[in-house]
Amino acid sequence: MGGVPSTPLDGGARPQESAEYILGEFVGEKSYPLGSNLWQQLLELPLDRRWQRDRVDRACQLLSENNVHTRHLAKILIHLAWCLQGCTSNAGGPSSVYMKAINALYISSLFLKYMIENAKSENFEELYLSLDETEPVPIHSIRDQNVENLVMNCVISCISSVDVSSTTYILHQELLNFMLVAMATQLRCGPSPGPRDVNPFIDAAMAQETSLTSLLVQKLLLNYLIRPHTSHGGATYSSDGGQAGVLQRVGSLAANLVLLPINLLVSSRGEVSRSPLAEYSVLMLLILIHYRKCHVSDESMLRESDPSAKANSLSKETASFCDNPYCKALEQARDVEYVEVNASDGPVAKVPFGPLFNTLTACLANESAVLLLYSLVQGNSAFLEYVLVRTDVDTLLMPILETLYNASRRSSNHIYMLLIILLILSQDSTFNASIHKLLLPSIPWYQERLLHQTSLGSLMVIILIRTVKYNLSKMRDVYLHTNCLATLANMAPHFHRLSSYASERLISLFNMLSKKYNKLAELRDKSNTIRDDSFVDDVSTEFYIYTDFLRIVLEILNEILTYALPRNPEVIYAMMHRQEIFQPFKHHPRFSELLENIYTVLDFFNSRMDSQRIDGEWSVERVLQVIINNCRSWRGEGMKMFTQLRFTYEQESQSEEFFIPYIWRLVLPICGLSFKDNTINLFPVDASPGLDLEKQLSNGEITNKYQEVDVKDLSQEGHFVQSFSL
């Protein structure tokens, strides 16, 4: 192997020479039939042999060159399937059954990953996932299905039916590792799924029976919330730096088990630590539920005169997507404590929502947890209802708000997904009312000022406005602004005793946006003398965007004054204290009608203040007391009624263009799939420092820098539909 002469396997051969011979024959030119003893010898090799990395690469190269004749990749995959069938049918059997399956998974992952990474053809012809027609097939017949379908059926069946235990823990890790490797063909595709994209293994996973897909979704969710673990002392695999085992150098989970000592569970205090199996499970689930298989409805569109034309250039209007059974299974998942048994409903993933909720809330610093939470609240109505009826919603909101508070330390997508979750929650009026009833004694992580006895609703307003201000100065993402303002607009009619600080922040938000608006108005006027059309268009576009932002803030204030004025004296005080900021817009054609109600309220309370005779100067307490007293007599006379705003979130139909690259950016550094930068087409890769987890580990550089993804246009990520409830 790797240029070392093979040694004949005889009784006098040393173990190392025996391993050299067996692996050399596997990657060599001679084709061995499925029934050869070579396969059993290969799968029974101990995994503590040591080879240099260049020899491993050479072995992969040799198999790739010879596979066209030997079809050894297909054959090892078939033997893998048979091993997994043995594990499934002999659950609880001897550990030797599992060890052979683990070996098969190791070897298959190693060589399959190399071939996917180095494939030259767009359809991965180099894999040759079929046997020669003359190949004799022993006992087990596979003629009725292709290799990838057989393998994925066996992998999914094994994950779903074999319980996780100390004996099977590494088996489950390697099963998930194999699935991630097999589905890494997505890395070679473009960011926009097209009908010519080839993903044989993930397509095979999509073709499985509904009962099996539901079981897999259920098992992956259970892995995530139970967070199974095993003692390191029981692991039979180790890594010793530069001389790791041949199969441990490809990011195998057994090696990662040693590199990432993280077997912890959710504690009674809500703390959670990382579990390798849990992390791989959630990432695998995210890949499955967000995958979209694209096909063109008009087949003639594919018969192009130019064979090199890209299918992705086809109009989106001519393409459609196949149903995703895993997405459907997640949407239909039900709480195991309340699920009704009804055969007509078909198979349903049953998961305890309580522990799942607790695990998610404890892991929201992790982007994969946020993506799973988003997928559940956006797609699963039963889980969303469960979240909304919980009385301890602060256990979810507090980590979200703390993460938003530390936005500078998080990726833009992490922040964006959290804001979408808040927007979805704010669509429920009961949620908006309940968050003001829960008082927080203190918020230790909020550093700008001490917040005592602040309601959860007030804190949410403070953090959302702070996020807008941070975005305005740092990120300048229009859609992040829209998210925040849409959530505030949904909350506004339900404000109850908004704190003085939250009220002041709300008025300062209008002041900040008005300054930005005025600067853009001046710039737009000056741009009339500039001949750069693109510059003029950009300024004009931004000007109209901020016009809409100002209108939304004025509408938020109108919502408070129309529906919640008696309950919010601090908002009235903040408006009176800064009433001069509204004056420039009083007669503005775009804002005047919205300012009528504001000035009706200001005039009412100003007149009440003028009628009061006091000795000495007005104090904050005296002004606030007058406002509180007159709130009781407020009847809303002269107020103009506007239709109540309601923003709802809808996921864009081409959301996979955002989610698939985003998820794989999370997968690569966590799972150690160190693909070459120049082979990844799914998203742009910075060639330095690359995606090599092994190098990061050796340098102590485990960070989330590869989880930074530019936020897509709203048309690709999701959009807001402003609907009005009459």
Side-chain angles (χ1 to χ4, degrees):
M1 177 175 138
V4 177
S6 299
T7 304
L9 185 58
D10 55 43
R14 297 193 302 272
Q16 180 68 36
E17 293 172 337
S18 300
E20 290 275 2
Y21 173 81
I22 294 168
L23 285 166
E25 292 300 294
F26 171 62
V27 303
E29 298 178 358
K30 181 180 178 180
S31 176
Y32 284 83
L34 276 171
S36 169
N37 289 333
L38 176 78
W39 303 105
Q40 295 306 313
Q41 294 169 343
L42 179 64
L43 298 183
E44 291 173 358
L45 282 179
L47 293 180
D48 59 353
R49 302 300 180 197
R50 300 289 188 264
W51 283 275
Q52 295 291 339
R53 180 60 179 264
D54 59 344
R55 300 179 74 192
V56 175
D57 291 340
R58 177 58 180 159
C60 291
Q61 182 182 352
L62 286 172
L63 180 67
S64 180
E65 293 171 356
N66 296 321
N67 188 53
V68 61
H69 306 295
T70 65
R71 305 297 171 98
H72 278 183
L73 178 63
K75 292 172 186 177
I76 189 64
L77 290 175
I78 292 170
H79 277 278
L80 165 62
W82 292 343
C83 287
L84 295 179
Q85 288 173 348
C87 293
T88 303
S89 60
N90 295 286
S95 59
S96 59
V97 175
Y98 300 126
M99 292 306 301
K100 187 179 291 187
I102 290 172
N103 285 9
L105 287 163
Y106 276 155
I107 297 169
S108 300
S109 298
L110 168 64
F111 292 100
L112 180 60
K113 184 259 183 185
Y114 179 89
M115 288 189 173
I116 291 173
E117 184 178 21
N118 294 278
K120 304 300 181 184
S121 61
E122 293 185 356
N123 62 354
F124 298 102
E125 188 177 275
E126 294 87 342
L127 299 181
Y128 292 102
L129 297 174
S130 62
L131 299 179
D132 190 280
E133 293 182 358
T134 61
E135 175 72 32
V137 180
I139 307 175
H140 309 80
S141 175
I142 62 166
R143 296 299 186 192
D144 58 342
Q145 60 179 319
N146 58 38
V147 172
E148 54 267 36
N149 279 345
L150 172 67
V151 170
M152 292 313 298
N153 178 271
C154 293
V155 168
I156 293 172
S157 297
C158 191
I159 293 174
S160 303
S161 60
V162 176
D163 292 334
V164 180
S165 66
S166 58
T167 304
T168 65
Y169 183 87
I170 294 178
L171 171 67
H172 276 275
Q173 285 188 304
E174 290 306 323
L175 284 164
L176 291 172
N177 187 59
F178 174 82
M179 287 189 74
L180 289 170
V181 168
M183 294 178 183
T185 51
Q186 283 191 297
L187 292 169
R188 304 298 307 273
C189 300
S192 180
R196 288 202 182 96
D197 288 346
V198 176
N199 295 287
F201 291 97
I202 193 168
D203 285 339
M206 295 294 150
Q208 301 304 312
E209 294 290 334
T210 303
S211 57
L212 192 55
T213 59
S214 295
L215 281 174
L216 180 61
V217 169
Q218 176 177 296
K219 187 59 171 283
L220 294 176
L221 286 172
L222 289 174
N223 282 349
Y224 183 68
L225 68 93
I226 295 173
R227 314 187 78 74
H229 63 297
T230 185
S231 64
H232 298 143
T236 58
Y237 311 100
S238 63
S239 173
D240 62 351
Q243 295 293 93
V246 61
L247 300 172
Q248 297 167 334
R249 296 300 300 262
V250 292
S252 75
L253 287 165
N256 286 342
L257 181 64
V258 177
L259 293 171
L260 302 174
I262 45 181
N263 6 317
L264 304 154
L265 297 172
V266 180
S267 71
S268 59
R269 295 177 295 172
E271 298 172 349
V272 65
S273 51
R274 300 166 61 197
S275 160
L277 192 58
E279 290 192 1
Y280 281 68
S281 294
V282 71
L283 290 170
M284 189 70 258
L285 180 59
L286 291 171
I287 289 173
L288 290 170
I289 64 176
H290 288 290
Y291 176 70
R292 296 294 182 270
K293 176 67 173 177
C294 179
H295 64 84
V296 177
S297 55
D298 184 357
E299 292 296 330
S300 64
M301 293 293 294
L302 290 176
R303 304 190 188 101
E304 300 174 8
S305 58
D306 180 6
S308 65
K310 296 292 185 182
N312 289 341
S313 65
L314 296 173
S315 169
K316 285 289 183 183
E317 297 175 357
T318 66
S320 58
F321 294 92
C322 301
D323 291 337
N324 183 319
Y326 298 93
C327 181
K328 185 176 181 180
L330 186 71
E331 291 174 352
Q332 295 179 343
R334 294 295 179 263
D335 192 342
V336 67
E337 296 182 11
Y338 300 102
V339 66
E340 297 180 3
V341 179
N342 189 339
S344 63
D345 293 338
V348 175
K350 298 182 284 280
V351 184
F353 281 1
L356 179 58
F357 175 88
N358 293 336
T359 302
L360 286 169
T361 56
C363 296
L364 291 180
N366 187 304
E367 292 187 73
S368 59
V370 174
L371 281 170
L372 178 57
L373 176 60
Y374 161 81
S375 300
L376 286 166
V377 299
Q378 187 275 329
N380 189 309
S381 58
F383 186 82
L384 175 60
E385 182 180 355
Y386 173 84
V387 172
L388 292 172
V389 300
R390 285 186 67 111
T391 57
D392 60 344
V393 69
D394 58 304
T395 59
L396 172 62
L397 289 185
M398 288 302 285
I400 290 179
L401 297 178
E402 183 175 2
T403 304
L404 292 176
Y405 179 79
N406 295 306
S408 61
R409 305 175 191 173
R410 305 296 179 182
S411 74
S412 57
N413 282 340
H414 194 173
I415 300 304
Y416 193 74
M417 298 310 301
L418 289 173
L419 290 173
I420 292 176
I421 291 169
L422 292 181
L423 175 59
I424 293 172
L425 297 176
S426 73
Q427 293 168 193
D428 184 80
S429 57
T430 303
F431 167 85
N432 291 328
S434 65
I435 57 177
H436 292 282
K437 297 176 182 178
L438 200 156
L439 290 180
L440 306 169
S442 63
I443 299 96
W445 45 262
Y446 194 89
Q447 300 296 314
E448 277 79 351
R449 62 182 294 166
L450 294 177
L451 298 178
H452 293 299
Q453 296 300 317
T454 299
S455 71
L456 183 59
S458 292
L459 179 63
M460 190 166 164
V461 171
I462 293 168
I463 297 300
L464 285 172
I465 293 172
R466 187 179 186 274
T467 303
V468 172
K469 292 187 173 183
Y470 169 76
N471 180 56
L472 185 63
S473 62
K474 301 292 184 182
M475 298 165 64
R476 300 184 180 180
D477 184 334
V478 169
Y479 305 112
L480 193 148
H481 280 327
T482 308
N483 264 342
C484 293
L485 296 179
T487 304
L488 288 169
N490 286 346
M491 295 170 59
H494 309 280
F495 284 170
H496 186 88
R497 297 190 180 280
L498 207 63
S499 71
S500 59
Y501 185 54
S503 301
E504 183 273 323
R505 293 286 85 197
L506 186 60
I507 303 305
S508 72
L509 173 63
F510 176 83
N511 187 41
M512 178 190 66
L513 292 175
S514 65
K515 290 179 178 179
K516 179 69 174 178
Y517 171 87
N518 289 331
K519 288 181 180 179
L520 287 170
E522 293 177 6
L523 195 58
R524 188 186 65 157
D525 293 340
K526 292 179 180 178
S527 67
N528 292 331
T529 61
I530 300 175
R531 295 182 179 180
D532 187 342
D533 292 339
S534 61
F535 175 78
V536 173
D537 290 342
D538 289 344
V539 171
S540 181
T541 299
E542 192 170 5
F543 172 77
Y544 287 116
I545 288 172
Y546 276 87
T547 301
D548 290 339
F549 286 163
L550 269 183
R551 281 192 62 87
I552 293 176
V553 175
L554 288 174
E555 287 171 330
I556 290 171
L557 293 175
N558 269 271
E559 298 266 308
I560 300 170
L561 301 181
T562 305
Y563 300 102
L565 185 148
R567 305 191 301 269
N568 292 282
E570 293 286 3
V571 175
I572 307 303
Y573 177 88
M575 288 174 55
M576 294 179 68
H577 183 65
R578 303 288 304 278
Q579 56 188 291
E580 72 281 354
I581 66 175
F582 300 108
Q583 185 61 40
F585 302 95
K586 188 172 184 179
H587 301 293
H588 193 290
R590 290 295 307 276
F591 308 123
S592 58
E593 64 173 357
L594 293 170
L595 282 159
E596 289 179 12
N597 283 345
I598 291 176
Y599 272 97
T600 296
V601 172
L602 288 174
D603 291 344
F604 175 85
F605 284 96
N606 281 331
S607 64
R608 297 303 187 274
M609 294 288 296
D610 292 340
S611 65
Q612 298 289 320
R613 293 184 178 181
I614 65 167
D615 296 329
E617 296 183 357
W618 285 95
S619 65
V620 173
E621 291 75 14
R622 285 185 175 183
V623 173
L624 190 58
Q625 188 58 52
V626 171
I627 292 173
I628 292 172
N629 293 337
N630 284 280
C631 278
R632 298 167 185 163
S633 61
W634 170 256
R635 297 294 179 267
E637 297 175 359
M639 294 288 284
K640 184 177 180 179
M641 298 298 293
F642 293 97
T643 305
Q644 187 170 325
L645 282 178
R646 185 171 181 269
F647 287 87
T648 60
Y649 171 78
E650 291 185 2
Q651 183 172 285
E652 172 59 38
S653 59
Q654 281 87 40
S655 61
E656 66 282 342
E657 295 181 8
F658 165 76
F659 285 109
I660 293 175
Y662 183 18
I663 292 164
W664 276 103
R665 279 187 178 260
L666 299 180
V667 169
L668 288 172
I670 292 176
C671 300
L673 297 178
S674 52
F675 270 67
K676 301 173 189 174
D677 295 347
N678 60 0
T679 65
I680 298 175
N681 300 316
L682 185 61
F683 50 79
V685 180
D686 182 2
S688 176
L691 290 168
D692 194 335
L693 177 69
E694 196 172 344
K695 291 179 181 178
Q696 295 178 55
L697 285 168
S698 63
N699 295 329
E701 297 176 355
I702 293 297
T703 69
N704 68 346
K705 56 190 171 186
Y706 296 113
Q707 301 173 22
E708 296 285 344
V709 186
D710 292 337
V711 176
K712 295 279 187 181
D713 288 342
L714 197 60
S715 60
Q716 295 177 327
E717 174 119 24
H719 63 270
F720 302 97
V721 177
Q722 183 175 331
S723 58
F724 302 99
S725 52
L726 302 178

